Amino acid sequence: MYVASLHLENFRSFVSLPALSLGRINVLTGHNNTGKSSIISALYLFQTSHVVANSYIRNGEQASRIDARFEEVVGVKTWGAMGECGRATASLLLQRGTASQPSIQLDFGGGANYVAPFPSQEPNHFIVPFFSRRKAFQYVEDVRRNNAIQVESNLSFLAAKLSRLSNRGFPGHDQYTEYCKKILGFPVYTVPSENGQIPGVYLDDESVISIESMGEGVANIASLLASLISSKGKLFLIEEPENDLHPGALRELLELIVKASEHNQFVVSSHSNIVVQYLAAASNSKLFNVSTKFGELPPVSIVEEILPTPAARIAALKSLGYTLADFELWEGWLILEESSAERLIRDFLIPWFFPRLSCLRTLSASGIAGVEPAFNDLHRMLKFAHLTPIYQARTWVLVDGDDAGVRTVDRLRQAFSTWNRDRFSALEQQNFEAYYPDVFGEQAKRALEIFNKDEKREAKRTLLLAVVDWLNADPVRGKKAIQVSAGEVLQHLAAIETQIFGATG
């Protein structure tokens, strides 16, 4: 089951939100206090077991209304017989002055019936909430089943949920452990406490670190992973997943969310360009901007779907501080392993031999370990902006010919098997310094033989500066020398020039 559309009237800052069509992944962006959380709260009211406060009703109004259209509801037990049509409309009316659990009108097309909200216990719950204030004031140490199946908007019952996953026989144990290690570096289960169990980890000496002694992001990740791995047919409401997370860990989490969207639906609010770039690039995803008129009180929220066009999506990234939002100005991208290669190609080889390639954006990945992440980030950005078909023929990777470089090229060719193989290349020489003018041959050899990494890095930097000064001192001499020493690199640039301008005329 999933929510196909949502309509709001007089709900918080919304006077009227026309039926908002939702996808499998829905990303809400916008400044603070514009209404992102209101959309998430409105959806959550279909499951809450708590009394609804008058604060949900727009200031000055006596009632508010929430309408949601559900699809693929056949077989869902929560609201009884779902009918054979597979769809239903649920309406929730809030009246000022009444203090009660919300009542829902459910219509399958043959008349409306009043039903209770979705239960907040597994397995008949529908909504999995992860709100920005989802901290636990105190972890419940009782890990009995009744606590393990509770679905709440905080982390109070995390110990009971993790107690199940600590058992190797529990479905999802291996996957949970794998993702904990990828995102956190270690799996989080439960450890004994005074009154039962609490989330934590064992050290090698059998001492214990409780989750309360760790960063707040650890508890959030452990809880979200536990739900993502075990859920199917659920609606995840997630506020600001970037909170308390390192960008590397965030990327791993977002990849898992995209994978989980095959069987679940997500509504995610975020201020992070990383979140937008990952999630909104997925298939069947939608990106929305939520805004209000600055300075207007009471505020009136509006929601606009970001059109799937390059201009609109680039503007969305730019509003979130994406530093490469002007990438559409380039005819192509060339990712290189080291800054030395990037500097020589950008400042000398292109201007001297291929001036038309001034439209080519060169980028240093700061080492072979950064090449694949840099290429994947670029590819994801282009996919998000719906420019992948254009740049599939306009993106190249060129690395050193050592074992690490060859393995990197092989992995990229396998991962992007539909691309031409020549988009990913390794040079014949193991180090780019081999392509410096011959006069620097001995100095390059000495620098590369240094064992200490820091000393080697400094020697290579000093060598690069010497090469740059030598080339600038006499461009005629420099051009003649580097044409010989860097002949192989020039061949790669010539091929890129032909591919760009041969295709465009």
Side-chain angles (χ1 to χ4, degrees):
M1 183 166 67
Y2 70 95
V3 180
S5 65
L6 177 69
H7 167 66
L8 304 178
E9 287 186 10
N10 295 323
F11 186 84
R12 286 187 169 177
S13 57
F14 286 95
V15 174
S16 179
L17 174 64
L20 190 67
S21 177
L22 300 178
R24 285 291 181 178
I25 297 179
N26 306 275
V27 184
L28 309 175
T29 67
H31 294 290
N32 291 328
N33 301 314
T34 55
K36 300 186 299 298
S37 293
S38 295
I39 293 174
I40 288 177
S41 296
L43 289 166
Y44 186 53
L45 288 182
F46 284 102
Q47 183 164 291
T48 183
S49 59
H50 303 294
V51 172
V52 176
N54 287 333
S55 60
Y56 286 112
I57 302 173
R58 182 170 175 79
N59 190 50
E61 301 295 335
Q62 294 302 308
S64 66
R65 183 185 180 94
I66 306 168
D67 297 306
R69 181 166 57 86
F70 295 84
E71 297 282 356
E72 299 180 10
V73 296
V74 174
V76 179
K77 298 178 181 179
T78 303
W79 283 333
M82 286 287 150
E84 298 180 358
C85 62
R87 64 184 59 179
T89 299
S91 300
L92 195 156
L93 183 65
L94 305 178
Q95 295 280 0
R96 188 175 296 280
T98 60
S100 63
Q101 182 179 339
S103 182
I104 299 170
Q105 279 190 307
L106 190 68
D107 189 349
F108 292 101
N113 296 309
Y114 283 96
V115 296
F118 290 106
S120 56
Q121 296 86 32
E122 302 175 9
N124 292 327
H125 69 295
F126 173 56
I127 295 172
V128 184
F130 282 88
F131 299 154
S132 57
R133 297 192 180 107
R134 52 187 175 268
K135 301 174 179 62
F137 294 105
Q138 183 176 0
Y139 291 102
V140 175
E141 298 173 60
D142 186 340
V143 297
R144 283 178 290 186
R145 178 181 179 276
N146 188 57
N147 289 338
I149 64 173
Q150 297 300 315
V151 180
E152 296 290 341
S153 58
N154 58 42
L155 307 179
S156 298
F157 297 108
L158 181 58
K161 296 182 181 299
L162 296 186
S163 178
R164 298 183 300 183
L165 283 164
S166 65
N167 189 316
R168 291 183 180 274
F170 188 80
H173 166 87
D174 292 343
Q175 193 177 7
Y176 169 79
T177 302
E178 175 191 352
Y179 275 97
C180 270
K181 290 179 179 178
K182 289 177 68 174
I183 296 174
L184 298 174
F186 53 86
V188 179
Y189 298 122
T190 54
V191 296
S193 63
E194 293 295 328
N195 300 303
Q197 298 180 38
I198 57 174
V201 297
Y202 281 105
L203 301 181
D204 291 340
D205 61 0
E206 298 187 8
S207 60
V208 166
I209 299 180
S210 72
I211 206 164
E212 294 169 331
S213 302
M214 304 178 192
E216 293 178 352
V218 174
N220 292 332
I221 285 296
S223 180
L224 185 51
L225 288 179
S227 296
L228 284 171
I229 288 166
S230 61
S231 296
K232 285 189 176 181
K234 306 302 181 184
L235 169 63
F236 282 77
L237 304 177
I238 305 176
E239 289 185 318
E240 301 173 13
E242 66 269 20
N243 285 355
D244 305 314
L245 280 184
H246 182 276
L250 177 60
R251 288 182 172 94
E252 293 284 357
L253 175 63
L254 296 174
E255 289 184 0
L256 180 57
I257 288 176
V258 172
K259 183 177 180 181
S261 69
E262 297 174 6
H263 306 289
N264 300 282
Q265 186 179 24
F266 292 84
V267 177
V268 182
S269 68
S270 179
H271 298 109
S272 167
N273 61 67
I274 297 175
V275 172
V276 171
Q277 179 185 332
Y278 267 69
L279 297 187
S283 60
N284 200 13
S285 66
K286 294 192 175 186
L287 177 61
F288 301 94
N289 181 66
V290 187
S291 63
T292 60
K293 188 176 180 180
F294 184 74
E296 184 177 71
L297 292 175
V300 177
S301 295
I302 59 173
V303 181
E304 297 176 294
E305 183 175 354
I306 303 298
L307 297 175
T309 64
R313 291 203 157 194
I314 291 165
L317 285 181
K318 194 170 184 179
S319 70
L320 293 169
Y322 201 82
T323 57
L324 295 178
D326 60 345
F327 69 92
E328 80 279 8
L329 300 177
W330 303 96
E331 290 287 343
W333 288 74
L334 173 61
I335 297 176
L336 300 153
E337 179 177 339
E338 298 285 356
S339 58
S340 55
E342 200 267 337
R343 178 78 182 273
L344 241 64
I345 289 173
R346 181 195 67 201
D347 292 353
F348 296 99
L349 298 187
I350 287 178
W352 282 353
F353 300 98
F354 305 99
R356 289 198 298 175
L357 288 184
S358 59
C359 62
L360 182 70
R361 175 72 158 88
T362 57
L363 174 67
S364 167
S366 301
I368 190 62
V371 170
E372 286 178 88
F375 179 83
N376 287 329
D377 279 349
L378 174 62
H379 180 260
R380 191 172 291 106
M381 178 178 65
L382 298 173
K383 184 179 179 183
F384 163 80
H386 292 269
L387 290 174
T388 304
I390 300 173
Y391 278 84
Q392 187 165 335
R394 300 292 182 85
T395 310
W396 293 265
V397 171
L398 184 62
V399 298
D400 292 346
D402 55 3
D403 290 342
V406 171
R407 288 195 298 270
T408 296
V409 167
D410 287 342
R411 285 194 298 269
L412 286 170
R413 286 176 174 174
Q414 291 175 13
F416 297 89
S417 57
T418 60
W419 290 44
N420 290 337
R421 290 173 59 84
D422 61 4
R423 296 298 180 268
F424 314 104
S425 302
L427 295 164
E428 293 181 2
Q429 297 295 332
Q430 295 188 7
N431 299 281
F432 192 80
E433 287 77 10
Y435 298 102
Y436 289 173
D438 292 343
V439 67
F440 294 95
E442 286 300 319
Q443 189 176 348
K445 182 180 178 181
R446 290 194 299 270
L448 295 173
E449 289 175 347
I450 297 174
F451 181 77
N452 183 278
K453 289 184 178 180
D454 291 336
E455 293 179 4
K456 185 175 184 177
R457 186 182 303 110
E458 180 59 26
K460 290 173 66 175
R461 189 186 73 85
T462 301
L463 173 60
L464 173 62
L465 294 177
V467 173
V468 169
D469 289 342
W470 189 83
L471 293 173
N472 282 326
D474 189 342
V476 174
R477 175 193 63 187
K479 183 176 181 180
K480 183 181 298 184
I482 207 166
Q483 186 173 15
V484 175
S485 64
E488 184 192 352
V489 181
L490 293 175
Q491 290 176 10
H492 282 282
L493 293 176
I496 292 173
E497 183 183 53
T498 299
Q499 289 158 4
I500 290 178
F501 295 101
T504 61

